[in-house]
Amino acid sequence: MTCEDSRIYLPAYLDDELGVAENLRMQNHLAGCTDCRQAQEEQLALRSALHDPGLYAHASPEFAKRIEAAILHAAKEEAGASQRSVWSGFSRMGSFRWVPVAAIAVIGVTLGFFLTMNGLRASHERLLANSVLTWHIRSLQPGHLVDVPSSDRHTVKPWFQGKLDFAPPVPDLSELGWNLIGGRLDYLDGRSVAAVVYQRRMHNINVFLWPNHATADGGITEEDAQGYQILHWNGADMTYWVVSDLNKAELEDFARALRGH
Ligand SMILES: [Zn+2]
């Protein structure tokens, strides 16, 4: 420990606030350093001087009462002033004096409701995005990618018939360079959904879709998760989740092709 350190630690040392290790280091330093020992003695002298009762002046009981009365008086004045301004404001509004209160309550409740709904929607979509990614990764295990392996939409689309309560659109995008690989059933958002698989340069793209009962989205939500891109939108008829390890720009192209179809 240097002298500089010792001076920094000294007040805490005298207040017995140091840890065991620092306390020991201080004791060792003070034992071998006359300068710091002198600083310690000066501090101790100052402290005992400050405890001298002669330094303190005690207020008389009359003085204490006057202060107390002045504080009470000021508090009453302030309370009266704020009450007057509230009531004169209400009476100026005549019979509508409670309208602002009701309006504020309604705005508060509505705002709270919308904030909660947005929050719920956000957390629900977050959960779905996680499930989508999980199902995508699982589908990449050998033998799990497709239940109906085919590049022909006239084979894939009818395969879903009788397995789902809706007919998923399976567009042929091969002319744009997106090859259909096949289809599969999965379970998302508490229901059976269609998973249609496309491929580009050995990158698999899972398209999860099921009927959309909400309003259609204007744009596409995008998320980058652990090297995978997740795109999502609510179409006029179907909810879409697209996931792949393909780069973002290409996957956006794919999503546009799918939406435009
Ligand atoms: Zn020292």
Side-chain angles (χ1 to χ4, degrees):
M1 182 179 277
T2 63
C3 290
E4 210 177 327
D5 292 337
S6 137
R7 302 301 163 92
I8 293 167
Y9 280 115
L10 189 57
Y13 174 74
L14 296 175
D15 287 335
D16 205 17
E17 286 170 348
L18 291 181
V20 178
E22 278 79 24
N23 211 51
L24 208 64
R25 286 166 69 208
M26 269 302 281
Q27 278 174 12
N28 285 340
H29 183 84
L30 290 171
C33 178
T34 45
D35 284 352
C36 286
R37 221 167 32 242
Q38 195 177 338
Q40 180 192 16
E41 273 156 25
E42 281 166 8
Q43 284 248 352
L44 284 171
L46 183 64
R47 281 171 184 231
S48 65
L50 284 172
H51 282 115
D52 181 354
L55 287 173
Y56 295 87
H58 293 277
S60 65
E62 290 76 26
F63 182 73
K65 269 184 192 159
R66 279 212 316 274
I67 294 290
E68 202 179 326
I71 291 170
L72 279 174
H73 181 72
K76 273 183 195 160
E77 286 272 288
E78 201 173 314
S82 64
Q83 218 164 24
R84 272 195 302 281
S85 71
V86 168
W87 284 109
S88 67
F90 278 146
S91 55
R92 268 204 304 279
M93 292 170 202
S95 58
F96 296 105
R97 69 185 187 187
W98 292 111
V99 168
V101 180
I104 288 163
V106 168
I107 290 166
V109 168
T110 313
L111 202 62
F113 177 72
F114 279 118
L115 287 175
T116 310
M117 285 306 285
N118 279 335
L120 280 179
R121 190 183 154 152
S123 60
H124 178 236
E125 297 208 335
R126 183 140 296 282
L127 281 173
L128 262 179
N130 282 336
S131 303
V132 161
L133 183 58
T134 305
W135 281 115
H136 174 71
I137 292 169
R138 194 174 296 174
S139 79
L140 301 178
Q141 304 298 310
H144 283 75
L145 191 58
V146 285
D147 292 334
V148 52
S150 174
S151 59
D152 185 359
R153 63 180 294 272
H154 299 293
T155 302
V156 176
K157 193 176 162 67
W159 180 84
F160 286 108
Q161 216 168 12
K163 297 181 180 74
L164 292 168
D165 57 1
F166 64 96
V170 183
D172 184 348
L173 305 171
S174 59
E175 282 191 4
L176 298 166
W178 307 103
N179 302 313
L180 180 65
I181 295 298
R184 166 184 97 243
L185 285 180
D186 261 335
Y187 196 82
L188 277 168
D189 203 22
R191 58 162 304 144
S192 293
V193 304
V196 182
V197 184
Y198 292 85
Q199 208 175 56
R200 173 175 275 187
R201 298 193 315 274
M202 302 305 286
H203 293 279
N204 293 306
I205 305 163
N206 263 297
V207 179
F208 298 95
L209 66 153
W210 62 94
N212 173 35
H213 301 298
T215 49
D217 293 337
I220 300 176
T221 312
E222 301 180 10
E223 194 172 339
D224 186 331
Q226 304 162 39
Y228 296 94
Q229 301 294 328
I230 303 172
L231 307 187
H232 164 59
W233 69 93
N234 288 312
D237 302 317
M238 299 282 159
T239 285
Y240 286 86
W241 287 86
V242 174
V243 55
S244 178
D245 63 344
L246 194 66
N247 68 74
K248 191 176 164 186
E250 275 188 286
L251 200 63
E252 283 172 351
D253 274 350
F254 171 75
R256 274 192 289 271
L258 198 61
R259 286 187 97 186
H261 213 277

